[in-house]
Amino acid sequence: MNYPSKLVEEAVNEIAKLPSIGKKTALRLVLHLLKQEEAFTKSLTQALTKLRTETNYCTDCHNISDTAICNICANKLRDHSVVCVVEDTRDVIAVENTHQYNGLYHVLGGVISPIEGISPSELNIESLVQRISQHPEIKEVILAISATMEGDTTAFYITKKLQTFNVKVTTLARGVPVGSELEYTDEVTLGRSILSRVKYEQ
Amino acid sequence: MNYPSKLVEEAVNEIAKLPSIGKKTALRLVLHLLKQEEAFTKSLTQALTKLRTETNYCTDCHNISDTAICNICANKLRDHSVVCVVEDTRDVIAVENTHQYNGLYHVLGGVISPIEGISPSELNIESLVQRISQHPEIKEVILAISATMEGDTTAFYITKKLQTFNVKVTTLARGVPVGSELEYTDEVTLGRSILSRVKYEQ
């Protein structure tokens, strides 16, 4: 593409490096920025710069945090006997939004994936094992990991690692999603939900 | 949504102000930036800052430009007797990419739209009239404006304004798009393409 200006071209190229943003979308965003006040771009770039330079990861749970220990780990009112193991920060936000969980988290930073070359040593699994060994008050580890092959492998690996400790390892219930129709539920999910059926409660 | 960090929240809010980017996408982009090297964010923010502070608009054609007069207007090899009137920079890029046009441009900055409150005075129409009056070498004005109601209104308005000058006003050929099937072409387009049929050339 022939861009009318070198500056536009550079900005388009930088924006198009972001995931799922192509050059056409990038150009649209660039033209939008040019139409807005200068303050608009300024507050955007400042927020991004501050984000990248000042954000920390909690030393306990590896979640993104403004402080050395994140708000959740530092909160005395939360249940420090349960740790929910998740892939990334988005999953922490998703679980928090359910308002059904009051324990702590442990962010792995991904799942074991031989195809993408992610080995267990690149994830925060060793630090989870250490955390369990140093904190005997932890009684339960909930594995809230995606129900994919990579997720299942990761869950299996973690379960093996935690065998020697006196913690209960649980996983999310698999079953028919709330609001979905039986007809459109896949066989594996339906099969599992029959096997792990629960008492009907009114 | 509960964000784990104020910095993340601010960055998400800023990114979500961009068109067609919601909070979920913004969060995905933020987490992507946090996973990359600091240099990645730095070059992105620098490109955006330079874009917004250093980009000019060509004083002749109002296209985005790094200099006072854009590359196209300054190019002596281009045909200075034809001016192609377009809505915005994206249309300049689209026409340039056809490699079928070697004249100049005039960027309106939008189309007349009573619904969105855009009146002719907010567009670069007056400057087009001035340009035509000051440059008698301009013999033809091509209206390359969208075939929408707003676009047609704008084209009609400009044609009226240019009546007193000795310029030929032309518009893009309307017809069946190349590569599309007759069956799926709408009636108006098909009707127009029959009325403005051309001699078959081998």
Side-chain angles (χ1 to χ4, degrees):
Chain A
M1 242 193 278
N2 290 314
Y3 295 101
S5 136
K6 269 261 162 266
L7 297 169
V8 169
E9 185 170 358
E10 276 164 30
V12 166
N13 287 339
E14 286 298 328
I15 296 176
K17 282 183 194 164
L18 293 169
S20 75
I21 294 189
K23 294 224 166 173
K24 276 210 164 176
T25 307
L27 181 60
R28 203 157 44 81
L29 296 178
V30 161
L31 294 179
H32 180 82
L33 287 179
L34 285 174
K35 270 192 185 169
Q36 308 299 312
E37 295 292 313
E38 220 172 288
F40 184 93
T41 307
K42 204 172 168 187
S43 61
L44 172 67
T45 54
Q46 277 176 348
L48 294 184
T49 307
K50 270 184 92 173
L51 167 84
R52 193 58 192 83
T53 53
E54 294 178 24
T55 307
N56 294 311
Y57 289 89
C58 173
T59 47
D60 279 3
C61 72
H62 303 281
N63 192 11
I64 294 166
S65 167
D66 295 340
T67 45
I69 301 289
C70 76
N71 292 337
I72 294 175
C73 286
N75 189 343
K76 290 260 165 67
L77 293 173
R78 293 190 76 116
D79 185 354
H80 282 239
S81 72
V82 199
V83 171
C84 179
V85 176
V86 292
E87 282 169 46
D88 66 15
T89 298
R90 264 182 295 174
D91 299 329
V92 174
I93 295 172
V95 175
E96 281 295 288
N97 282 339
T98 65
H99 301 291
Q100 299 292 333
Y101 181 69
N102 194 35
L104 306 181
Y105 291 93
H106 194 90
V107 179
L108 293 177
V111 281
I112 300 169
S113 168
I115 293 170
E116 291 183 40
I118 301 170
S119 68
S121 61
E122 284 164 73
L123 305 174
N124 299 317
I125 294 178
E126 203 45 55
S127 68
L128 173 66
V129 176
Q130 263 185 26
R131 197 174 165 191
I132 304 293
S133 70
Q134 285 165 2
H135 293 273
E137 72 270 22
I138 299 174
K139 299 292 175 217
E140 182 177 357
V141 170
I142 304 173
L143 300 175
I145 304 175
S146 298
T148 58
M149 209 168 67
E150 287 85 3
D152 285 344
T153 309
T154 312
F156 183 75
Y157 184 88
I158 292 173
T159 313
K160 279 268 179 193
K161 282 270 180 184
L162 297 182
Q163 258 175 354
T164 51
F165 299 100
N166 185 26
V167 284
K168 194 165 92 182
V169 178
T170 57
T171 183
L172 294 183
R174 307 278 180 225
V176 182
V178 178
S180 90
E181 294 177 46
L182 270 203
E183 194 182 347
Y184 302 117
T185 309
D186 68 285
E187 295 89 352
V188 180
T189 303
L190 196 53
R192 279 213 206 181
S193 73
I194 293 171
L195 289 177
S196 51
R197 62 192 178 276
V198 292
K199 193 171 177 296
Y200 183 78
E201 287 183 56
Q202 279 185 313
Chain B
M1 240 195 278
N2 290 313
Y3 294 100
S5 137
K6 269 261 164 267
L7 298 169
V8 169
E9 186 170 358
E10 276 166 30
V12 165
N13 287 339
E14 286 298 327
I15 296 177
K17 282 182 194 165
L18 293 170
S20 75
I21 294 188
K23 294 227 166 171
K24 276 211 166 177
T25 308
L27 180 61
R28 201 156 46 80
L29 295 179
V30 160
L31 295 178
H32 180 81
L33 287 179
L34 285 174
K35 269 192 186 171
Q36 307 300 310
E37 295 291 312
E38 222 172 289
F40 184 93
T41 307
K42 206 174 168 187
S43 61
L44 172 66
T45 53
Q46 277 177 347
L48 294 182
T49 307
K50 271 184 90 172
L51 168 83
R52 192 60 193 81
T53 52
E54 294 178 24
T55 307
N56 294 311
Y57 289 90
C58 174
T59 47
D60 279 2
C61 73
H62 304 281
N63 192 10
I64 294 164
S65 167
D66 296 341
T67 45
I69 302 288
C70 76
N71 293 336
I72 294 175
C73 288
N75 189 344
K76 290 259 165 68
L77 294 173
R78 294 190 75 116
D79 185 354
H80 284 237
S81 72
V82 199
V83 170
C84 179
V85 177
V86 292
E87 283 169 46
D88 67 14
T89 299
R90 263 180 296 174
D91 300 328
V92 174
I93 296 173
V95 175
E96 281 295 287
N97 282 338
T98 65
H99 301 291
Q100 299 292 332
Y101 181 69
N102 194 36
L104 306 181
Y105 292 93
H106 194 89
V107 178
L108 294 177
V111 282
I112 299 169
S113 169
I115 294 170
E116 290 181 40
I118 301 171
S119 68
S121 62
E122 284 163 74
L123 305 174
N124 300 317
I125 294 178
E126 204 43 59
S127 69
L128 173 66
V129 176
Q130 263 186 26
R131 198 175 165 191
I132 304 292
S133 70
Q134 285 165 4
H135 293 274
E137 73 269 22
I138 300 173
K139 299 291 174 217
E140 182 177 357
V141 170
I142 305 174
L143 300 176
I145 304 175
S146 298
T148 58
M149 208 168 69
E150 287 84 3
D152 285 346
T153 308
T154 312
F156 182 74
Y157 184 88
I158 292 174
T159 313
K160 281 265 179 200
K161 282 271 179 185
L162 297 182
Q163 259 174 353
T164 51
F165 300 100
N166 185 28
V167 284
K168 195 166 93 183
V169 179
T170 56
T171 183
L172 295 184
R174 307 278 181 227
V176 182
V178 178
S180 90
E181 294 178 47
L182 271 203
E183 192 183 348
Y184 302 117
T185 309
D186 68 286
E187 295 87 352
V188 181
T189 304
L190 196 53
R192 279 213 206 180
S193 72
I194 293 171
L195 291 175
S196 52
R197 62 193 177 277
V198 291
K199 192 172 177 296
Y200 182 76
E201 287 183 55
Q202 279 186 312

